[in-house]
Amino acid sequence: MIKVTWKQSSQGLIKIPVELKEKLEKVRGQSKEIRISIEPVYQTRTTDQNSYFHSKIGLLAHETGANKEELKENIKWYAVRYKNYPLVTVNGKKEPLSVSKANVEQMTNLIDSIFEYAFSQGIYLEE
């Protein structure tokens, strides 16, 4: 499998890099058919988002007396239910996507979920 990532031009066009054309020619010579998939690439969560998320988890854990890891799992399940946070299959079991694999949008939803979850528990967290 060949994986290549490239960006659109300012005109919205995608220019295929020369190295990809060369790799495709090699693959085409090995088989009668090839499959090309194009999918969007999402930016992974930022370090600022990650730090903010964990600081708010810490504050909420302090306020509730909950274990930070259990609280983090509760927030992820809350986000699955209310924010369309993705589930993945791990060892045959469905579970929320790991925070370390979240993209910017997913992390934003997790952060929002902390505040909503806290509010549902009668706790106000400052932003």
Side-chain angles (χ1 to χ4, degrees):
M1 177 185 288
I2 301 168
K3 283 192 167 190
V4 178
T5 304
W6 66 91
K7 296 181 180 181
Q8 291 184 32
S9 70
S10 59
Q11 294 85 24
L13 303 173
I14 297 175
K15 294 181 181 178
I16 299 175
V18 173
E19 64 270 11
L20 178 58
K21 287 180 186 178
E22 292 168 356
K23 288 178 182 179
L24 286 173
E25 288 300 320
K26 286 181 186 177
V27 171
R28 196 172 77 179
Q30 298 169 4
S31 175
K32 291 182 181 180
E33 294 182 11
I34 61 171
R35 176 180 298 142
I36 298 174
S37 298
I38 299 176
E39 56 190 61
V41 176
Y42 297 99
Q43 179 185 0
T44 57
R45 78 201 192 305
T46 66
T47 52
D48 285 346
Q49 281 181 309
N50 192 54
S51 296
Y52 189 69
F53 173 80
H54 285 93
S55 71
K56 293 303 174 188
I57 287 288
L59 287 172
L60 187 55
H62 177 75
E63 289 292 322
T64 62
N67 173 288
K68 287 181 189 178
E69 288 304 311
E70 289 175 10
L71 185 56
K72 190 162 80 170
E73 286 304 307
N74 288 344
I75 296 298
K76 290 193 298 185
W77 279 108
Y78 180 95
V80 165
R81 175 175 280 164
Y82 298 109
K83 298 286 190 179
N84 202 30
Y85 192 73
L87 287 172
V88 294
T89 303
V90 177
N91 297 325
K93 182 181 169 191
K94 294 275 187 185
E95 59 184 52
L97 180 71
S98 168
V99 172
S100 65
K101 304 264 191 257
N103 65 36
V104 170
E105 181 182 352
Q106 292 162 341
M107 198 65 180
T108 298
N109 288 336
L110 278 179
I111 291 167
D112 289 346
S113 293
I114 293 172
F115 289 96
E116 291 174 17
Y117 182 84
F119 184 77
S120 76
Q121 303 299 307
I123 299 168
Y124 173 75
L125 292 177
E126 289 189 30
E127 288 191 34

